[in-house]
Amino acid sequence: MINRELIVGFSYNEQKLETFFRNESIIFRENLWLDQELLETVKGYSEEQLKAFAEKDLQFHLEIDGVRLQCLYARHDEANGFVLGFAASEEITQNPDEYNKIKLGFRMPQLAGKKQFSVILSEPTYGVDILYSNQLQNVKVTAIPFFDHDEVITNLPNDMIRIELNEWVLPTSGVVFVWEEKE
């Protein structure tokens, strides 16, 4: 069985996200907005500490077709961010007659001054299902989608928002979640 490496990237610099992660193995990339003290701490982590941070603090997980992939490594990439490496078998990722269902989840730490969270698809994707859970108290979250189709937005209990599309979504489509304090 042949293994294929899949990479997830987190950038510390919003302006460099696109250029920092130009690699065909990267299946997900995200800005990681941390306060300066935590940012310096994370930059000083060993690879094992960085992996533990991703698994425990970010609670990052990746599944393909219901199979949870093990994180093989976490590596710093200069001062711009870090990557997580996963292995998936050739059978899971390369069958030309089938599409794979990719599911990822994470808990994103957020700077107090950042009152938005963006989800942007960079590749053509079929069957988008985005579930956003708000952990902030006394805030109202609004989803502002920018897909090419009618979005199905459902406001769920416990300040959760779900967006579902059962069709192809073009690159640079997505949604921005914006929050403001409740009055």
Side-chain angles (χ1 to χ4, degrees), residues 23-47:
N23 179 326
E24 69 179 29
S25 293
I26 294 210
I27 62 166
F28 174 79
R29 59 185 180 234
E30 182 59 63
N31 287 308
L32 188 61
W33 289 315
L34 303 174
D35 65 46
Q36 195 60 36
E37 184 179 336
L38 181 54
L39 177 62
E40 293 306 317
T41 301
V42 170
K43 286 180 178 181
Y45 280 163
S46 69
E47 290 187 7

Side-chain angles (χ1 to χ4, degrees), residues 113-130:
K114 294 284 187 184
K115 298 193 182 295
Q116 68 180 29
F117 181 78
S118 301
V119 177
I120 301 169
L121 302 170
S122 60
E123 299 295 330
T125 304
Y126 183 83
V128 173
D129 186 359
I130 299 169

Side-chain angles (χ1 to χ4, degrees), residues 41-53 74-76:
T41 301
V42 170
K43 286 180 178 181
Y45 280 163
S46 69
E47 290 187 7
E48 280 305 310
Q49 289 171 313
L50 192 57
K51 184 177 171 190
F53 170 75
R75 293 187 185 131
H76 294 280

Side-chain angles (χ1 to χ4, degrees), residues 84-109:
L84 305 174
F86 296 85
S89 73
E90 184 82 13
E91 294 154 353
I92 290 175
T93 61
Q94 295 297 310
N95 188 339
D97 298 326
E98 297 178 15
Y99 293 107
N100 301 108
K101 181 178 181 181
I102 298 174
K103 178 181 177 182
L104 56 92
F106 57 94
R107 181 182 165 274
M108 181 59 73

